[in-house]
């Protein structure tokens, strides 16, 4: 028995020694992205790059819930694990100021036809500080907040007549937030059907992504991008009105709505709980798939996020491609970026299901008709706007998430919460030295 | 035998050192750097996400700011509320179950293992699936089964007044089996003759419980409470997943939840380290009280 | 008479309450299992579906695209081995020859798998099988228990071999499961080993500042892991331990060793010193006494400690997430099973299936150790 234990111990250690990593000498490019369909498309697209250059591309798909933590710890540890990181637009400030991204300004100006790319996308995904002309990335997947609706409900003659009678206008996908609320109210028939599934969740950037576009469309803003003054912007009457509007949708949303972010609104829509749902366009391929959405895959329509009384703005999603400053393969990474931005490659990218930032490709008939939602996506493009992209974005975001969620669940009034957010945001900027 | 000759020369002292050292060396090696690193940074202004900005010494400012921040105090209150409520509930249910299980019946081993199953799941998985079970409408199992009792569905994870209760229920579901197991271990170790002697004296059930059972198992219960309290302070996964990062609002925002945001989302490393030390001091102090009390109880028994 | 009636009535009431409690504890687990067997539409249905059409699609997602033929050989071997354990042993010689033959077959299969896949796990597995083989080697005693043990051991190894085959066939899930097995059981072995040694020393010898040392050991559990993650990450990067099995094994050993010391010290405290004294008088050395007298009596405590250490290491999430690399060598299952995303939202069915499969090893291990659990966790706190 004892001898056996000895053998066992020796073997255990031999396993450990064998299990330690070996070095990998092969020429290989490692890309980090979140785990979702677009990453699968990019994986497929990258086969062409390998065929062309002989360089193997390893696309590491990290689940959304762990994406940020994994990538940032790798940066903190200066790990050379990832050569290219396809990161959120909000990360730009932190990772450029922190020295984790390679400054691509000169290289992009020399090698990339910037004019072919949508200016909005370039500003949101590549430039930091905004307006400085300094580039840290190239837009890869441009995404936007859009809406799903149930065509079987909207196109039902009986429903249309009743709606007209009650509200005085035709039932159709809403163009404004007021219409959206009318329709949501109309279809709210608890306990089995509700009007709308909005993003209310405190999870990461959930409610912020849902609400900020309402805020902008109501004439509000986060603050002055020049002076970083927040007081009077984020707690202005416009924003109060917007937040009160957004909270009023709670009455027409399922009981679980305060927990809703992209996964939950999709599930609610697929279960037939709601007539309309908010979500990122990148998740829509699954909605029209008969396996993923067996009940409503052929009864789903799409519309652009509505306009508000004082404008029209839509939350941007999606990611840009940056090169890690700790990568040992920066030249190969640049080669990949250059290859990716070529028009034929972008065409194929769009064909596979990627949302290209390439203006010409995006407006081509082929792209617009490729899926039932591409038209709505292309129409959303001019209105895209983003959260703060400063290095302190996470703290700013946390204040918004908590404050806005508190209003939704009724713990605070809109004004109280917004004053609170304004105070916290100013403290964060003050602390980081923006007012010096 | 070879081993015998080999170890003949070992004195008790050598054996003692050889037996204790691996543990101590491992613990010291793995803990010394993190401990010193966090202690050092807790007195600095530093963001791990900005390695190109050197840490700036600011004295005890991080601590001062944390301790004067009313929000942080709120998180501490939430935590204390959770710890007290969860540990007491687990204790009552676990100990109660153990009293029931402390008898002979068929499939006892199987039943005990089945009750232990919740403990064997990953906390994140537990949080995820309880989301379904606690859904605020009829799609949630709890509301589906119990809404006639409550006169309508309850917003388990959406009502700020109830959300903490949901978290406590999930934590209890997961960890009362631990309490049950340790209580049961204590109960089954009590020699039977003590009860037989009490029966001869025609002692009441309550008397036996109060004067035989309780004193004999209380040291063990204290240890179980100690481990649960320590872990409850650090509980993070359930509020992270089930109530979406401490929601609704700040209803379930515990210190460890907030600490995660400080350390990982915001990379406010210096402040996070200070917060960790405050938490560490509280847990150490509490454990010390437990251990002192434990030694006293052991001495009496 | 009335007394007996009442107590019997009480007994049945207690049993009824136990049944209800078990049902309550199991309902969420039933829900996980049911989710893993439901179609996507049933999972997100508006009303909980108790009756549903069973589908195995979510389990198929965990498997590699093509199931290698060897899987069936290993499955057959595992199945036969497990079934054979339950047979009564009438002729010990025959039982031993059967186990002998059957183990040999498993070694051959492993070697064949090694030759065809060049996956070194199979080399390790054949070596482990040889060890199990030694358990029933002719010069050793041939008691039935030992034969059974060898059958169980080899069946477990055959199941691990199946996981390796699946991982080799491209299943990410089984790759992670295999890592969890190596890291979980490896760290449990180390934690229990270190813990038992230290506990013995603390229990039997005068140690300067014993109470303080014990408290120090306990206090290493107290620092919130969230803060320790970053320094450990930096340390591991510098040492090259990141994304290695060894790194995670050492880390989980550190987590668990404090618990192991406390639990084992309580247990060893209860073992009467007289046995050891007698052995020492008989001319045994201290080390021999420990191995021959103390260890056999500590089996129960060791088993209970192992269960707790395994559960903790098995489910650890935060460090596994940060210290391993997605798609890397040492990545374990917990971070990825909880976040299966399909093209349209969260793939609940896959998460449930992965969770259920992941629960099985630790649940079976606990079930096998159930006899030791109760007597093993007394922390020495109950005075006899």
């Amino acid at each position: 028995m004892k001898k056996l234990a000895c053998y066992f111990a020796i073997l255990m250690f031999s396993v450990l020694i064998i299990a330690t990593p070996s070095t990998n000498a092969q020429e290989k490019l490692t890309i980090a992205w979140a785990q979702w369909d677009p990453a699968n498309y990019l994986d497929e697209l990258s086969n062409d790059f390998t065929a062309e250059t002989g360089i193997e591309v390893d696309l590491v798909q990290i689940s959304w819930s762990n994406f940020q933590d994994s990538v940032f710890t790798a940066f903190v540890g200066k790990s050379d694990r990832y050569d290219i990181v396809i990161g959120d637009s909000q990360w730009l400030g932190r990772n450029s100021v922190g020295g984790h991204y390679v400054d691509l300004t000169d290289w992009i100006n020399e090698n990339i036809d910037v004019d072919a790319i949508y200016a909005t996308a370039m500003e949101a995904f590549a430039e930091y500080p905004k307006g400085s002309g300094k580039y840290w990335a190239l837009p890869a997947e441009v995404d936007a907040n859009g809406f799903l609706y149930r065509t079987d409900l909207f196109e039902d003659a009986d429903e249309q007549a009743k709606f007209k009678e009650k509200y005085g206008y035709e039932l159709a996908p809403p163009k404004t937030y007021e219409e959206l609320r009318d329709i949501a109210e109309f279809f709210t028939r608890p306990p089995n059907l509700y009007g709308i599934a909005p993003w209310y969740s405190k999870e990461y950037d959930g409610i912020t992504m849902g609400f900020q576009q309402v805020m902008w469309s109501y004439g509000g803003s986060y603050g002055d991008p020049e002076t970083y003054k927040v007081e009077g912007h984020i707690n202005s009457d416009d924003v109060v009105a917007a937040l009160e509007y957004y909270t009023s949708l709670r009455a027409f949303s399922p009981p679980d709505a305060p927990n809703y972010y992209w996964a939950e609104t999709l599930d609610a829509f697929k279960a037939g709980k709601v007539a309309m749902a908010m979500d990122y366009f990148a998740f829509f391929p699954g909605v029209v798939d008969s396996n993923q959405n067996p009940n409503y895959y052929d009864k789903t329509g799409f519309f652009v996020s509505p306009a508000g009384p004082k404008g029209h703005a839509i939350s941007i999603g999606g990611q840009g491609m940056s090169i890690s400053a700790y990568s040992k393969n920066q030249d190969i990474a640049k080669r990949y970026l250059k290859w990716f931005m070529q028009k034929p490659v972008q065409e194929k990218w769009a064909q596979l299901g990627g949302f290209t930032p390439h203006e010409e490709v995006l407006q081509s008939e082929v792209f617009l008709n490729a899926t039932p939602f591409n038209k709505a996506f292309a129409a959303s493009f001019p209105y895209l706007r983003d959260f703060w992209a400063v290095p302190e974005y996470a703290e700013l975001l946390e204040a918004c998430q908590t404050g806005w969620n508190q209003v939704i669940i009724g713990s605070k009034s809109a004004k109280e919460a917004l004053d609170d957010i304004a105070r916290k945001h100013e403290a964060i900027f003050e602390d980081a030295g923006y007012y010096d | 035998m070879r081993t015998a000759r080999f170890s003949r020369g070992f004195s008790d002292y050598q054996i003692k050192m050889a037996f204790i050292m691996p543990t101590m060396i491992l613990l010291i090696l793995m803990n010394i750097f993190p401990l010193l690193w966090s202690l050092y940074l807790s007195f600095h202004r530093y963001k791990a996400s900005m390695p190109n900005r050197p840490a700036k010494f600011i004295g005890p400012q991080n601590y001062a700011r944390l301790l004067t921040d009313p929000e942080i105090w709120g998180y501490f209150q939430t935590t204390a509320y959770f710890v007290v409520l969860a540990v007491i509930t687990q204790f009552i249910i676990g100990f109660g179950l153990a009293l029931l299980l402390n008898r002979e019946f068929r499939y006892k081993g199987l039943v005990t293992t089945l009750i232990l199953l919740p403990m064997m799941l990953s906390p994140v998985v537990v949080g995820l699936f309880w989301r379904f079970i606690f859904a605020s409408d009829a799609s949630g199992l709890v509301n589906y089964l119990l809404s006639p009792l409550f006169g309508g569905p309850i917003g388990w994870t959406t009502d700020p007044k109830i959300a903490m209760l949901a978290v406590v229920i999930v934590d209890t579901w997961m960890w009362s089996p631990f309490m049950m197991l340790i209580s049961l271990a204590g109960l089954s170790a009590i020699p039977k003759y003590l009860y037989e002697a009490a029966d001869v004296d025609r002692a009441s059930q309550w008397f036996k419980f109060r004067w035989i059972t309780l004193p004999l198992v209380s040291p063990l219960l204290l240890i179980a409470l100690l481990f649960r309290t320590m872990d409850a302070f650090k509980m993070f996964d359930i509020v992270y997943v089930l109530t979406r990062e401490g929601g609704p609002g700040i209803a379930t925002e515990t210190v460890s939840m907030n600490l995660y945001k400080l350390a990982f989302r915001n990379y406010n490393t210096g402040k996070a380290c200070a917060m960790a030390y405050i938490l560490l001091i509280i847990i150490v102090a509490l454990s010390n009280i437990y251990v002192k009390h434990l030694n006293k109880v052991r001495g009496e028994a | 008479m009335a007394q007996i009636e009442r107590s019997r009535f009480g007994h049945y009431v207690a049993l009824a309450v136990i049944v209800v409690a078990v049902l309550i504890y199991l309902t969420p687990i039933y829900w996980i299992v049911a989710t893993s067997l439901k179609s996507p539409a049933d999972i997100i249905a508006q009303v909980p579906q108790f009756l549903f059409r069973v589908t195995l699609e979510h389990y198929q997602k965990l498997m590699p695209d093509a199931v290698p033929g060897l899987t069936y050989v290993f499955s057959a071997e595992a199945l036969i081995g497990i079934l054979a354990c339950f047979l009564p042993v009438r002729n010990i010689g025959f039982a031993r020859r059967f186990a002998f033959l059957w183990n040999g077959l498993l070694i051959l299969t492993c070697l064949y798998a090694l030759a065809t896949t060049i996956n070194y796990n199979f080399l390790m597995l054949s070596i482990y099988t040889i060890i199990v083989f030694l358990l029933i080697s002719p010069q050793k005693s041939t008691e039935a228990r030992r034969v059974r043990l060898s059958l169980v051991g080899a069946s477990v190894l055959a199941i691990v071999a199946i996981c390796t085959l699946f991982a080799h066939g491209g299943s990410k899930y089984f790759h992670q499961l295999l890592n969890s097995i190596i890291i979980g059981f490896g760290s449990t072995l180390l934690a229990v080993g270190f813990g038992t040694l230290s506990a013995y020393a603390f229990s039997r010898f005068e140690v300067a500042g014993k109470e303080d040392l014990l408290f120090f050991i306990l206090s290493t559990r107290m620092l919130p892991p969230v803060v320790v993650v970053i320094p450990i990450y930096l340390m591991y990067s510098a040492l090259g331990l990141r994304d290695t099995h060894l790194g995670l094994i050492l880390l989980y050993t550190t987590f668990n060793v404090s618990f192991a010391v406390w639990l084992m010290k309580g247990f060893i405290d209860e073992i009467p010193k007289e046995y050891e004294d007698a052995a020492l008088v008989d001319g045994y050395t201290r080390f021999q006494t420990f191995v021959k007298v103390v260890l056999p009596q500590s089996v129960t405590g060791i088993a209970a400690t192992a269960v707790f250490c395994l559960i903790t290491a098995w489910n650890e999430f935060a460090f596994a997430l940060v210290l391993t690399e997605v798609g890397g060598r040492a990545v374990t299952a917990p971070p990825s099973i909880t976040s299966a995303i399909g093209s349209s939202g969260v793939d609940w069915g896959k998460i449930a299936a992965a969770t259920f499969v992941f629960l099985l090893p630790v649940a079976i291990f606990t079930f096998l150790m159930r006899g030791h659990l109760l007597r093993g966790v007394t922390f020495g706190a109950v005075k006899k």
Side-chain angles (χ1 to χ4, degrees):
Chain A
M1 199 65 199
K2 183 177 60 182
K3 218 188 236 162
L4 221 80
C6 282
Y7 286 140
F8 238 107
I10 293 166
L11 272 161
M12 228 31 244
F13 279 101
S14 58
V15 174
L16 302 186
I17 289 156
I18 292 173
T20 44
S22 56
T23 46
N24 202 337
Q26 210 189 346
E27 203 174 45
K28 203 168 99 178
L29 192 66
T30 311
I31 305 179
W33 202 4
Q35 184 196 7
W36 59 338
D37 263 9
N40 293 331
Y41 309 150
L42 190 67
D43 211 11
E44 205 180 326
L45 187 70
S46 300
N47 289 336
D48 292 358
F49 181 74
T50 310
E52 245 174 70
T53 59
I55 299 165
E56 203 189 315
V57 178
D58 181 15
L59 185 69
V60 180
Q61 298 196 27
I62 307 167
S63 73
W64 270 116
S65 44
N66 311 332
F67 186 39
Q68 177 166 311
D69 290 350
S70 296
V71 172
F72 282 164
T73 6
F75 281 148
V76 168
K78 306 196 174 178
S79 155
D80 62 354
R81 159 86 173 148
Y82 306 120
D83 301 311
I84 293 179
V85 170
I86 307 189
D88 276 349
S89 53
Q90 304 139 10
W91 298 4
L92 269 183
R94 177 184 281 177
N95 289 337
S96 57
V97 178
H100 308 304
Y101 283 169
V102 172
D103 183 348
L104 294 173
T105 316
D106 298 336
W107 181 82
I108 285 179
N109 287 333
E110 274 166 37
N111 291 286
I112 304 286
D113 179 13
V114 177
D115 296 333
I117 304 170
Y118 255 111
T120 341
M122 224 31 214
E123 193 196 328
F125 294 110
E127 197 180 23
Y128 188 83
K130 302 298 172 199
S132 67
K134 280 181 90 71
Y135 295 133
W136 305 87
L138 281 171
E141 162 89 0
V142 185
D143 201 353
N145 194 350
F147 282 83
L148 303 160
Y149 71 96
R150 285 264 300 279
T151 49
D152 58 327
L153 294 174
F154 274 61
E155 284 159 14
D156 184 276
D158 200 34
E159 301 282 5
Q160 284 178 336
K162 275 190 202 150
F163 184 86
K164 179 102 190 259
E165 192 185 328
K166 188 167 178 195
Y167 297 97
Y169 59 96
E170 296 292 338
L171 175 62
K175 294 266 181 279
T176 68
Y177 280 114
E178 293 305 318
E179 286 175 25
L180 181 93
R181 181 160 58 186
D182 288 346
I183 300 170
E185 182 185 43
F186 178 69
F187 282 117
T188 297
R189 292 148 199 186
N192 292 324
L193 183 66
Y194 294 88
I196 175 139
W199 290 341
Y200 278 157
S201 171
K202 196 189 172 194
E203 202 174 347
Y204 187 41
D205 60 355
I207 188 170
T208 304
M209 290 297 125
F211 171 65
Q212 66 182 9
Q213 59 177 24
V214 181
M215 172 180 89
W216 289 320
S217 302
Y218 271 69
S221 78
Y222 279 113
D224 185 335
E226 303 292 321
T227 61
Y228 295 96
K229 278 288 168 202
V230 169
E231 192 65 45
H233 294 271
I234 204 172
N235 53 353
S236 68
D237 293 342
D238 286 333
V239 184
V240 173
L243 189 51
E244 276 164 359
Y245 164 80
Y246 199 61
T247 311
S248 73
L249 294 179
R250 171 89 164 95
F252 315 125
S253 58
D256 230 14
N259 288 332
Y260 280 5
Y261 192 25
W262 59 264
E264 290 82 3
T265 53
L266 272 179
D267 281 349
F269 187 81
K270 287 190 287 184
K273 256 186 227 178
V274 288
M276 297 179 285
M278 186 184 253
D279 226 306
Y280 289 120
F281 276 95
F283 291 112
F284 292 174
V287 178
V288 292
D289 176 347
S290 60
N291 289 320
Q292 304 269 346
N293 185 14
N295 299 330
Y296 304 104
Y297 71 96
D298 55 348
K299 303 185 187 82
T300 302
F302 308 89
F303 62 89
V304 181
S305 292
K310 292 186 180 172
H312 196 183
I314 296 170
S315 294
I316 200 168
Q319 289 81 27
M321 275 187 195
S322 302
I323 299 177
S324 159
Y326 314 109
S327 156
K328 293 198 177 83
N329 302 317
Q330 293 184 7
D331 290 331
I332 307 177
K334 281 177 183 163
R335 227 168 118 188
Y336 183 86
L337 254 59
K338 190 170 179 181
W339 170 83
F340 179 73
M341 277 300 155
Q342 290 167 313
K343 195 180 166 204
V345 178
Q346 285 295 314
E347 269 166 356
K348 176 133 191 231
W349 173 228
Q351 231 173 48
L352 287 168
F355 285 135
T356 170
H358 199 282
E359 191 165 355
E360 221 176 296
V361 178
L362 190 79
Q363 294 299 350
S364 68
E365 283 302 310
V366 183
F367 175 79
L368 292 177
N369 297 319
T371 71
F373 44 84
N374 276 8
K375 275 201 183 99
F377 173 70
S380 304
F381 220 113
Y383 308 110
L384 295 183
R385 274 177 82 171
D386 200 4
F387 191 75
W388 293 106
V390 293
E392 292 76 20
Y393 79 92
E395 285 141 274
L396 300 170
L397 188 62
E398 193 198 323
C400 292
Q401 286 291 103
T402 309
W404 289 338
N405 186 263
Q406 281 178 309
V407 179
I408 300 297
I409 57 161
S411 314
K412 267 187 181 169
S413 77
K415 182 71 184 151
E416 266 177 319
L418 290 171
D419 285 344
D420 222 33
I421 294 172
R423 187 179 49 75
K424 281 188 194 167
H425 278 195
E426 294 220 322
I428 293 164
F429 283 129
E430 166 92 60
D431 231 31
Y434 285 87
Y435 301 143
D436 297 343
Chain B
M1 258 179 85
R2 197 156 37 95
T3 353
R5 273 201 307 278
F6 175 64
S7 57
R8 178 80 56 195
F10 283 158
S11 67
D12 276 9
Y13 176 77
Q14 282 167 320
I15 293 266
K16 179 175 82 179
M17 290 324 251
F19 278 16
I20 292 183
M21 275 309 147
T23 305
M24 296 309 284
I25 289 172
L26 182 73
L27 285 176
I28 290 172
L29 281 184
M30 296 293 280
N31 286 302
I32 194 89
F33 175 69
L35 275 174
L36 290 180
W37 187 85
S38 350
L39 185 67
Y40 173 81
L41 287 177
S42 73
F43 293 102
H44 287 74
R45 186 193 189 88
Y46 181 66
K47 286 183 164 235
S49 62
M50 302 280 166
N52 46 3
R53 282 185 193 165
K56 190 174 150 230
F57 182 77
I58 50 168
Q61 235 185 71
N62 283 327
Y63 291 93
R65 285 181 64 171
L66 283 168
L67 292 174
T68 52
D69 186 341
E71 268 182 14
I72 302 285
W73 280 109
Y75 302 146
F76 270 107
Q77 276 171 14
T78 312
T79 310
Y81 181 63
F82 167 76
V83 171
V84 171
L85 207 61
V87 172
I88 288 178
T89 321
Q90 285 158 26
F91 171 73
I92 292 171
I93 293 181
F95 188 52
L97 261 179
L99 285 174
L100 287 176
L101 281 168
N102 188 28
R103 61 187 70 237
E104 291 309 316
F105 58 94
R106 271 175 85 184
Y107 306 121
K108 185 176 173 183
L110 181 69
V111 164
T112 321
T113 319
L114 285 178
I115 294 180
L116 289 179
L117 278 177
M119 219 172 94
M120 300 174 207
L121 287 166
S122 171
V124 182
V125 170
V126 169
L128 275 178
F129 280 94
W130 278 89
R131 277 184 183 184
F132 272 100
I133 296 165
F134 271 152
S136 301
D137 51 18
S139 71
L141 199 57
V142 176
N143 274 334
Y144 179 77
L145 296 174
L146 300 183
S147 62
L149 280 179
F150 299 125
I154 287 182
W156 289 104
T157 55
T158 51
D159 185 335
K161 288 187 215 66
I162 294 172
M164 184 51 97
L165 199 64
V167 174
V168 170
I169 290 175
V170 176
D171 200 66
T172 303
W173 176 75
M174 204 174 167
W175 290 112
S176 54
F178 175 81
M179 284 287 191
M180 183 275 293
L181 182 68
I182 292 189
S183 314
L184 191 54
L187 289 175
S188 45
I190 299 175
K192 292 278 171 294
Y193 65 83
L194 289 176
Y195 292 112
E196 283 156 13
D199 279 340
V200 170
D201 294 341
R202 295 182 172 277
S204 69
Q205 289 291 335
W206 167 250
F207 182 90
K208 284 190 274 184
F209 178 75
R210 174 65 189 83
W211 296 107
I212 300 174
T213 314
L214 219 47
L216 282 172
V217 292
S218 62
L220 197 53
L221 294 181
L222 267 177
I223 293 186
L225 283 173
L226 168 68
F227 277 95
R228 275 315 301 146
T229 312
M230 265 162 53
D231 286 349
F233 259 102
K234 299 189 296 178
M235 190 280 294
F236 158 77
D237 311 77
I238 295 173
V239 288
Y240 182 60
V241 180
L242 178 72
T243 55
R244 272 71 166 186
E245 302 181 11
I250 50 165
T252 60
E253 179 113 10
T254 57
V255 177
S256 43
M257 182 67 242
N258 196 254
L259 187 55
Y260 164 79
K261 290 179 186 169
L262 264 184
F264 263 91
R265 288 279 165 75
N266 307 350
Y267 278 97
N268 223 327
T269 317
K271 211 169 158 188
C273 290
M275 181 104 135
Y277 261 89
I278 295 175
L279 202 56
L280 181 67
I281 290 166
I282 293 176
I283 300 179
V284 167
L286 270 179
S287 314
N288 222 332
I289 297 173
Y290 266 116
V291 172
K292 285 260 161 63
H293 195 67
L294 180 71
N295 288 338
K296 216 178 88 192
V297 172
R298 265 182 179 167
E300 280 169 5
Chain C
M1 197 61 193
Q3 181 80 29
I4 295 166
E5 294 264 293
R6 204 190 315 145
S7 69
R8 181 172 295 165
F9 177 71
H11 184 69
Y12 287 126
V13 170
L15 289 186
V17 177
I18 290 170
V19 169
V20 172
V22 171
L23 284 179
I24 293 175
Y25 277 106
L26 288 189
T27 307
I29 290 173
Y30 162 75
W31 210 243
I32 294 175
V33 180
T35 305
S36 75
L37 295 170
K38 284 178 181 176
S39 66
D42 281 340
I43 293 173
I44 52 166
Q46 294 227 11
V47 170
Q49 302 288 304
F50 290 96
L51 294 172
F52 51 87
R53 198 176 49 80
V54 171
T55 165
L56 290 176
E57 58 179 293
H58 305 300
Y59 289 93
Q60 271 161 10
K61 283 183 244 171
L62 303 178
M63 311 253 279
D65 299 333
V67 176
L70 268 179
T71 311
Y72 301 108
V73 181
F74 279 122
S75 312
E77 280 169 357
L79 206 67
I80 294 170
I82 291 166
L83 287 179
C85 289
F86 291 103
L87 293 178
V89 179
R90 292 222 179 77
N91 180 342
I92 187 70
F94 173 75
R96 213 193 60 210
R97 273 196 298 278
F98 170 76
F100 220 74
L101 188 78
W102 183 78
N103 271 287
L105 206 65
L106 185 63
I107 295 173
L108 287 181
T109 329
C110 276
L111 290 175
Y112 176 74
L114 173 70
T116 50
T117 60
I118 319 289
N119 184 322
Y120 287 100
N121 280 339
F122 285 115
L123 182 63
M124 300 317 297
L125 280 170
S126 14
I127 296 173
Y128 285 135
T129 325
I130 292 169
I131 296 178
V132 177
F133 204 60
L134 290 177
L135 267 176
I136 49 162
S137 55
Q139 69 268 31
K140 298 274 175 187
S141 88
T142 44
E143 42 180 323
R145 214 168 64 94
R146 208 173 265 243
V147 174
R148 282 216 175 87
L149 200 66
S150 88
L151 287 173
V152 174
S155 303
V156 170
L157 292 176
I159 292 168
V160 176
I162 295 172
C163 295
T164 311
L165 270 182
F166 283 176
H168 187 77
S171 160
K172 281 182 188 153
Y173 178 71
F174 280 94
H175 173 64
Q176 295 155 1
L177 187 64
L178 207 59
N179 283 334
S180 281
I181 291 173
I182 296 172
I183 291 166
F185 284 90
S187 72
T188 302
L189 197 74
L190 279 185
V192 173
F194 284 9
T196 310
L197 292 181
S198 304
Y200 177 74
F202 278 119
S203 173
R204 292 297 191 258
F205 302 119
E206 283 301 315
V207 180
K210 185 190 278 186
E211 295 299 322
D212 293 330
L213 272 181
L214 279 172
F215 192 76
F216 162 75
I217 290 175
L218 184 68
S219 69
T220 54
R221 262 178 88 93
M222 296 175 191
L223 200 64
V226 181
V227 200
V228 190
V229 165
I230 295 176
I232 295 259
Y233 182 89
L234 296 174
M235 188 166 92
Y236 269 32
S237 299
L239 296 174
L241 281 174
R242 221 175 59 215
D243 198 26
T244 62
H245 295 88
L246 180 62
L248 280 184
I249 290 176
L250 284 180
L251 194 71
Y252 294 166
T253 307
T254 315
F255 289 165
N256 278 328
V257 81
S258 61
F259 193 75
V261 169
W262 273 66
L263 207 56
M264 283 312 296
K265 179 175 177 294
F267 197 84
I268 294 175
D269 278 345
E270 284 184 347
I271 301 172
K273 278 199 186 95
E274 288 75 24
Y275 296 119
E276 281 160 77
D277 294 341
L280 286 171
V281 171
D282 284 352
Y284 280 97
T285 64
R286 183 55 97 162
F287 187 73
Q288 282 173 319
T289 318
F290 172 71
V291 173
K292 295 214 163 128
V293 179
V294 181
L295 272 190
Q297 294 195 50
S298 315
V299 171
T300 290
I302 289 174
T305 312
V307 167
F308 282 103
C309 292
L310 182 70
I311 289 175
T312 316
W314 192 251
N315 289 317
E316 202 282 327
F317 182 89
F319 287 92
L321 168 65
V322 171
L323 293 181
T324 63
E325 280 154 1
V326 180
R329 288 176 67 92
V331 60
T332 58
S336 11
I337 54 175
T338 50
S339 50
I341 310 276
S343 51
S344 168
V346 179
D347 194 342
W348 293 107
K350 191 177 169 192
I351 295 179
T355 301
F356 182 59
V357 175
F358 195 63
L359 176 64
L360 287 179
V362 68
I364 292 170
F365 185 72
T366 311
F367 183 70
L368 292 178
M369 298 293 169
R370 70 191 181 284
H372 298 297
L373 268 183
L374 281 185
R375 289 191 299 121
V377 293
T378 51
F379 283 98
V382 181
K383 284 274 148 53
K384 292 244 167 85

